Structures are given as structure tokens and as C-alpha cells.
Amino acid sequence: NSSAQNLLNFLLLAPLPVLVKRVKPETNSISIVIAGISLSASAEIFQIWIPGRVSDLLDFSLNSAGVLVALSIIKTRKLRNTN
């Protein structure tokens, strides 16, 4: 994997927490994390059946990390705005 590809994998699901919080602000963080990890795992599992594609643990990890970092940024900004 190249650095650019790794960055794109990190950013792929990062918008998920932002979109969920905008549409349904009361959604708890655990649900968002589970959804992000599930989407990432699904994408990697489905690649097993696509010719020319390879399922990669690094891609899964980077997708999931993007969700966690984005959610952390949202929570940090929310804490700053309430103080």
C-alpha cells in the first residue's frame, strides 16, 4: 500500500460520524463506532469475491481508525463549545 492509498483508506469512513451526528444527533458514540467497524469489515470481506481485489487488514484498520478519529474530533469540539 502506498502512503496516498493509506490516507484515502483512513479518510474513507471518516465522514460517517459527522453525517450521523448531523442527521441524528442523539446517536451514541458506541453505535457509530460499531457501524463504522461493520462497514469497514463488510467492505473487506466482500472483496474476497471480487476478482483482482484483495482483502487487507491494514485497510480495515485504517478505515476504522478514521471513524474513531473523526468521532473524537466531534466530541472534542462539542466539549469546547459547551465551556
Side-chain angles (χ1 to χ4, degrees):
N1 283 352
S2 69
S3 295
Q5 194 173 22
N6 288 341
L7 178 61
L8 290 174
N9 275 312
F10 180 79
L11 296 174
L12 181 68
L13 295 178
L16 179 69
V18 176
L19 295 172
V20 171
K21 285 294 189 181
R22 289 226 183 235
V23 173
K24 196 171 178 190
E26 68 276 4
T27 306
N28 66 25
S29 298
I30 298 297
S31 296
I32 295 171
V33 169
I34 290 170
I37 289 172
S38 297
L39 281 170
S40 181
S42 296
E44 294 306 314
I45 290 168
F46 287 132
Q47 288 186 56
I48 293 169
W49 295 286
I50 300 173
R53 299 292 304 177
V54 177
S55 184
D56 189 359
L57 183 59
L58 179 60
D59 292 351
F60 167 76
S61 300
L62 289 167
N63 295 155
S64 300
V67 171
L68 291 169
V69 170
L71 189 58
S72 298
I73 292 169
I74 291 168
K75 291 184 105 20
T76 301
R77 291 187 67 178
K78 187 176 182 180
L79 285 174
R80 285 185 183 166
N81 290 338
T82 59
N83 291 334

